[in-house]
Amino acid sequence: MDLIKPYKVYINEKPILIERARVSRFPFNRHWPGYQRALDQTEITGFVSFDITGEMNIKIECDFDFNEVTVRPLSLNIKPKTEDKVISFTIDKPCQAVVEFDGISGALHLFADPKENYPIPSNDVIYFGPGEHDVGRIDLQSGQTVYIDKGATVYGEVFAIDAENVKILGKGILDHSKQTSFQIDNDFIDPLRPSPIVFRYCKNVEIKGITVRDPFFLAVRPIACENVVIDNIKVIGCWRYNSDGIDLINTRHAKIKNCFVRSFDDSLCLKGFCGPFACEMYHNGKTYDIMEDVVFSNCVVFNEWGKALEVGIDLCASEIKNCRFENCDVIHACGVAMDISNVDYAEVHDITFENIRVEHGITAHRPQIQDNEDSVYEGENSDHMPLLMQCNVFFSEEYSTIKDKHGKIHDVNFKDIKVYSPRMLPSVFSGKDKEYKVSRVNIENLYLNGNKITDMKEANFTVKNYAEEINLK
């Protein structure tokens, strides 16, 4: 695969291998039709991974012309120097950065990992060393670890059900690109499309260090799990329909931290079960109908369709509560940066978005549905404005499970929200009716380019029917 923009990368003057990933070229989507997107809707981008060992110099030699270079997230405060098509800057701590040359197309992704070496367990380890490994599906049992070492590319997927103390560790790549056909299999919550990583009804789950590339469907899916840690994983190569990043479904006590997600649908997401599979919340005499105590922190999100930080849209659960998104950078948002959308019957409450930074350029591609094979994408260089915040209870003929039973959203906090954009992104708050409504939403410390916003109109808020106590402080 040739990079759409050719470059070489050097770390402290030493060349480093550039890995390739296929990504979406523009937000052109359609409802799942049983086949995948055309490749002319995609492009090849590059990423490099390395351990950070003090201050390190990054040099990028470009074999193309460009006018402007931007390193995101802007919170890294990296000001690159450019001379004769050579870009240079330094970093001195673990981070995930995206280097853009005159915009999104052909961006370079830098994954600077902590020096930490994950210990290889002495027992029950499925080890993959440097090189390529075509393994199909790995079924993990209790106490087992999949270890994908640095330099390894594993083509396949990892699955576990009713297991405890299961892990995926390492600094290699789990690649799902060879999964190209759907199948009917009761082991999958969505019987049409498998995912690279699925844990169902598991306890004590760890996923650390790896890169997940080219997921066929949602990249990482803990389903009805308990005690989950996902740390410093990178999800890239999402171009296929519904290639979400990290989606937790009715899971309790989870920490997702230090991760990077570039996805072609929802990026970091809390979901209930979806309607056709709501029965899955009943398993082995137990009911898994609550999502609680889930924290996403210190993550970087590059969202190319759907929602960046989301609760919803499928919410077959009794409660979604006490969950947080904190200290995250949304470097690109397509639909909504921070979203709670409830089409089902869950009571969603005590949700916090805190210290979230959202970046938006002068122009952005407009999302467009592909109605048929002959449809052409028309959203290039548009003035599209994604939503900043949304809290929404509504009925959908397509997604809602029960016509006369709906959910609520209340006690939501947005705190220390910083927007970097030529103009304020809009936000919308809307309920369904007097019973199924949105209430008690507090927005504290909202900033646009460093200036605090205290007026609802200036904040570009739209408060619709059955949304109450929407407070800007």
Side-chain angles (χ1 to χ4, degrees):
M1 296 188 293
D2 293 330
L3 294 169
I4 190 169
K5 289 185 177 178
Y7 38 67
K8 297 179 180 178
V9 182
Y10 300 84
I11 310 294
N12 289 345
E13 301 300 327
K14 295 182 179 180
I16 187 170
L17 173 68
I18 301 173
E19 296 282 0
R20 269 81 165 161
R22 185 177 298 280
V23 296
S24 175
R25 188 158 63 90
F26 40 66
F28 200 33
N29 205 347
R30 65 190 300 175
H31 298 294
W32 172 247
Y35 52 88
Q36 281 297 350
R37 300 175 74 193
L39 293 186
D40 61 8
Q41 298 179 17
T42 71
E43 66 179 38
I44 303 302
T45 194
F47 66 93
V48 298
S49 301
F50 55 95
D51 288 348
I52 192 79
T53 55
E55 186 172 274
M56 304 182 77
N57 177 257
I58 312 299
K59 184 172 73 173
I60 307 166
E61 293 182 351
C62 301
D63 191 19
F64 56 90
D65 294 322
F66 56 88
N67 296 312
E68 183 180 11
V69 176
T70 304
V71 180
R72 302 185 189 276
L74 299 177
S75 61
L76 293 175
N77 197 30
I78 294 175
K79 308 296 183 183
K81 297 179 180 179
T82 303
E83 184 177 354
D84 297 329
K85 299 184 184 179
V86 177
I87 300 161
S88 62
F89 54 89
T90 60
I91 58 174
D92 60 5
K93 60 183 178 181
C95 64
Q96 292 123 7
V98 178
V99 183
E100 298 178 2
F101 316 93
D102 297 329
I104 295 173
S105 181
L108 168 67
H109 306 72
L110 300 173
F111 303 142
D113 290 328
K115 182 61 177 175
E116 176 183 10
N117 290 315
Y118 308 112
I120 303 175
S122 57
N123 297 314
D124 284 333
V125 59
I126 303 169
Y127 176 82
F128 299 100
E132 295 190 344
H133 311 269
D134 193 346
V135 302
R137 177 168 133 174
I138 300 170
D139 288 279
L140 275 185
Q141 307 301 316
S142 290
Q144 288 189 314
T145 296
V146 171
Y147 198 103
I148 306 174
D149 215 340
K150 188 172 183 178
T153 299
V154 174
Y155 294 96
E157 56 202 45
V158 181
F159 179 85
I161 184 169
D162 293 319
E164 297 187 13
N165 304 313
V166 286
K167 301 179 182 181
I168 306 174
L169 305 177
K171 295 187 176 181
I173 298 172
L174 178 62
D175 188 296
H176 206 221
S177 61
K178 292 189 178 183
Q179 177 58 262
T180 58
S181 62
F182 59 86
Q183 56 186 315
I184 302 298
D185 187 333
N186 291 331
D187 285 341
F188 295 112
I189 189 171
D190 183 325
L192 296 181
R193 288 172 284 172
S195 295
I197 299 175
V198 177
F199 290 97
R200 298 178 64 194
Y201 316 110
C202 294
K203 290 184 178 181
N204 306 327
V205 174
E206 287 188 73
I207 309 171
K208 291 187 178 182
I210 66 166
T211 297
V212 181
R213 182 168 60 189
D214 200 353
F216 191 76
F217 187 37
L218 317 182
V220 181
R221 290 197 285 170
I223 302 165
C225 291
E226 187 173 347
N227 299 331
V228 176
V229 175
I230 303 174
D231 185 8
N232 190 38
I233 77 165
K234 284 72 65 174
V235 177
I236 194 169
C238 300
W239 62 276
R240 303 195 264 192
Y241 297 123
N242 303 113
S243 50
D244 286 22
I246 303 171
D247 287 22
L248 285 80
I249 300 170
N250 286 15
T251 285
R252 307 173 71 176
H253 312 308
K255 298 183 184 301
I256 302 89
K257 55 187 178 179
N258 310 314
C259 295
F260 175 91
V261 171
R262 180 174 179 175
S263 63
F264 187 69
D265 211 337
D266 306 330
S267 301
L268 302 179
C269 194
L270 302 177
K271 292 182 180 290
F273 287 92
C274 63
F277 305 98
C279 61
E280 298 280 349
M281 71 176 68
Y282 308 105
H283 179 72
N284 284 352
K286 296 182 179 180
T287 301
Y288 298 86
D289 67 339
I290 293 178
M291 173 94 72
E292 67 175 333
D293 185 28
V294 178
V295 180
F296 293 93
S297 62
N298 306 316
C299 295
V300 177
V301 170
F302 188 145
N303 177 264
E304 299 192 274
W305 185 272
K307 322 294 178 58
L309 312 178
E310 183 185 25
V311 180
I313 188 169
D314 306 309
L315 290 180
C316 289
S318 62
E319 286 185 281
I320 311 289
K321 63 182 180 179
N322 300 325
C323 297
R324 299 176 60 87
F325 299 83
E326 59 186 27
N327 195 32
C328 293
D329 290 278
V330 179
I331 63 174
H332 292 287
C334 183
V336 188
M338 294 169 284
D339 179 72
I340 305 177
S341 288
N342 192 349
V343 303
D344 285 309
Y345 53 83
E347 181 180 0
V348 182
H349 63 97
D350 294 286
I351 307 296
T352 298
F353 298 83
E354 184 171 356
N355 197 17
I356 307 297
R357 298 167 292 275
V358 179
E359 303 173 20
H360 177 71
I362 296 174
T363 62
H365 290 162
R366 183 182 301 280
Q368 180 182 332
I369 290 293
Q370 182 178 359
D371 294 323
N372 56 63
E373 288 301 298
D374 297 324
S375 297
V376 176
Y377 181 71
E378 299 174 347
E380 296 279 2
N381 300 318
S382 76
D383 58 354
H384 169 64
M385 294 281 286
L387 294 179
L388 176 64
M389 295 176 275
Q390 177 172 254
C391 293
N392 190 13
V393 177
F394 64 104
F395 173 77
S396 165
E397 287 286 353
E398 183 176 8
Y399 294 110
S400 296
T401 304
I402 304 173
K403 288 189 176 182
D404 58 355
K405 184 180 180 182
H406 304 286
K408 303 175 182 179
I409 299 172
H410 63 87
D411 295 289
V412 178
N413 295 292
F414 297 90
K415 184 177 181 182
D416 297 331
I417 308 300
K418 300 175 178 67
V419 180
Y420 301 93
S421 169
R423 53 201 186 279
M424 178 55 78
L425 305 180
S427 297
V428 177
F429 308 90
S430 176
K432 182 184 180 295
D433 55 35
K434 290 181 180 180
E435 181 178 0
Y436 306 116
K437 62 186 180 181
V438 173
S439 61
R440 297 193 296 277
V441 179
N442 294 308
I443 303 96
E444 182 180 356
N445 299 336
L446 172 63
Y447 295 87
L448 174 62
N449 301 324
N451 299 311
K452 187 171 181 178
I453 306 299
T454 57
D455 178 77
M456 296 282 279
K457 184 176 181 181
E458 189 180 7
N460 205 1
F461 285 179
T462 298
V463 180
K464 297 185 178 181
N465 291 336
Y466 313 114
E468 304 172 354
E469 300 176 75
I470 313 300
N471 304 307
L472 175 63
K473 303 176 183 179

